[in-house]
Amino acid sequence: RADAQGLKAVRVPYLKASAERARALRQRIAGEGKIICGLSWISKNQEVGEDKSLRLADLQPLLELPGVVFVDLQYGDTSAERVALYETTGIEVKRITEIDNFNDLDGLAALMEACDVVVTVSNTTAHLAGALGKPLMVMLPEAFGLVWYWHTGRTDSPWYPQARLFRQTTPGQWDSVIQDV
């Protein structure tokens, strides 16, 4: 059904990650008693990706939260940004190097499953985390780059009931979005 009742009937999660692999990753990333937050901050969409993306350093207020271990879910080479962040702030965003976040969807799904929450911009990461049923915070642009399936004027998603949407109020300004997250 294409109405609101039909959307409520959709079962989430509808994808499953390897529980065994996720447990092993979780133990390796943070051990017990820590919150693991997966991060993705770039959209590689050739038309509007720049409008949907931010720099890892922009996330510093979030990255300073105590008791949280941050793990890199971003696809592509993020080493320069992660090293620069560590050198200037001492904040580490862990990268699991044996998982190719672009080509190994099973590995990425297990990595997301190891996370307690995923914070991302509007990109593939949001949809995979949503399909896995992970608690999800999606940072959205105000104008260019806002895709129809995120709708407007709402903080939830009919596609992923566990998602919370955080929107820019001014194009290109991510500070308030990051603070709200």
Side-chain angles (χ1 to χ4, degrees), residues 115-169:
C115 296
D116 295 297
V117 63
V118 172
V119 175
T120 183
V121 295
S122 173
N123 63 14
T124 304
T125 303
H127 299 287
L128 182 56
L132 290 165
K134 295 306 299 180
L136 174 63
M137 298 179 177
V138 184
M139 300 178 290
L140 299 170
E142 194 276 329
F144 295 109
L146 183 60
V147 184
W148 68 268
Y149 44 76
W150 297 122
H151 304 278
T152 57
R154 60 189 301 166
T155 59
D156 66 332
S157 167
W159 320 111
Y160 310 119
Q162 75 287 6
R164 293 184 55 203
L165 309 180
F166 298 85
R167 300 172 184 279
Q168 288 179 344
T169 55

Side-chain angles (χ1 to χ4, degrees), residues 35 37 59-70 91 178 181:
I35 295 170
C37 177
L59 293 170
Q60 185 174 343
L62 177 66
L63 298 171
E64 291 174 339
L65 289 173
V68 181
V69 175
F70 294 93
I91 297 170
I178 294 164
V181 167

Side-chain angles (χ1 to χ4, degrees), residues 1-179:
R1 292 177 42 187
D3 60 9
Q5 290 294 17
L7 286 174
K8 288 180 182 178
V10 173
R11 301 277 187 234
V12 176
Y14 55 87
L15 293 180
K16 296 244 186 242
S18 165
E20 182 179 317
R21 191 169 182 191
R23 271 192 303 277
L25 285 165
R26 182 172 183 83
Q27 187 64 35
R28 179 174 161 198
I29 293 166
E32 297 298 323
K34 293 196 177 179
I35 295 170
I36 300 175
C37 177
L39 294 174
S40 184
W41 58 94
I42 299 169
S43 168
K44 301 280 184 158
N45 182 297
Q46 291 184 358
E47 295 172 12
V48 294
E50 189 173 312
D51 298 305
K52 300 191 308 179
S53 301
L54 54 136
R55 299 172 310 129
L56 178 60
D58 295 334
L59 293 170
Q60 185 174 343
L62 177 66
L63 298 171
E64 291 174 339
L65 289 173
V68 181
V69 175
F70 294 93
V71 64
D72 183 352
L73 302 177
Q74 183 62 52
Y75 40 91
D77 183 4
T78 62
S79 58
E81 276 192 281
R82 287 182 294 103
V83 166
L85 178 74
Y86 185 77
E87 288 176 351
T88 59
T89 67
I91 297 170
E92 179 185 15
V93 175
K94 294 185 176 192
R95 177 73 178 220
I96 306 302
T97 56
E98 69 269 12
I99 296 174
D100 179 336
N101 290 351
F102 186 77
N103 291 306
D104 180 4
L105 289 181
D106 288 334
L108 182 57
L111 186 55
M112 286 182 188
E113 189 61 36
C115 296
D116 295 297
V117 63
V118 172
V119 175
T120 183
V121 295
S122 173
N123 63 14
T124 304
T125 303
H127 299 287
L128 182 56
L132 290 165
K134 295 306 299 180
L136 174 63
M137 298 179 177
V138 184
M139 300 178 290
L140 299 170
E142 194 276 329
F144 295 109
L146 183 60
V147 184
W148 68 268
Y149 44 76
W150 297 122
H151 304 278
T152 57
R154 60 189 301 166
T155 59
D156 66 332
S157 167
W159 320 111
Y160 310 119
Q162 75 287 6
R164 293 184 55 203
L165 309 180
F166 298 85
R167 300 172 184 279
Q168 288 179 344
T169 55
T170 304
Q173 298 298 313
W174 291 104
D175 294 347
S176 65
V177 174
I178 294 164
Q179 192 62 43

